[in-house]
Amino acid sequence: MSTISRDEVARVAVLARIDLRPEEVDRLAGELDVIVTSIAKVNQVATPDVPATSHPLPMTNVFREDVPVPALPVQDVLAGAPDSEDGKFLVPQILGED
């Protein structure tokens, strides 16, 4: 027996302002029913003695420590720029053009 009816899918689609064709409503009702059934099976297995996990394998941080270092000198940064002015990158103006 289906736990998600065609009428429920159509009602939620109207609330979400999603225009669904009748065949889409039928398809989604079936797909949502499979999802609800699968979740029910997981809930049967998930007992208080089984710890909740967010990932099946232990995860560790593979990134280096975030250690502050001195910034590059402005001259070195601007050395690779096509153009600069007053210690800043100089780029073509795009706003306020006539």
Side-chain angles (χ1 to χ4, degrees):
M1 182 176 156
S2 176
T3 57
I4 305 290
S5 73
R6 184 181 190 291
D7 293 336
E8 288 174 316
V9 172
R11 185 177 75 78
V12 171
V14 168
L15 292 173
R17 296 182 180 163
I18 300 172
D19 188 23
L20 295 177
R21 295 186 306 272
E23 60 271 10
E24 290 175 314
V25 172
D26 293 334
R27 181 179 52 85
L28 286 172
E31 290 175 359
L32 290 171
D33 189 51
V34 170
I35 292 170
V36 169
T37 303
S38 298
I39 291 172
K41 288 179 185 177
V42 170
N43 284 336
Q44 290 174 351
V45 175
T47 60
D49 57 327
V50 176
T53 58
S54 62
H55 198 276
L57 303 172
M59 296 185 68
T60 57
N61 188 355
V62 295
F63 300 109
R64 65 173 170 78
E65 289 294 320
D66 189 14
V67 180
V69 295
L72 291 173
V74 174
Q75 297 81 7
D76 291 350
V77 174
L78 294 176
D83 204 0
S84 64
E85 182 179 286
D86 298 327
K88 301 175 189 152
F89 294 103
L90 187 62
V91 296
Q93 180 178 352
I94 59 169
L95 300 176
E97 293 180 343
D98 293 323

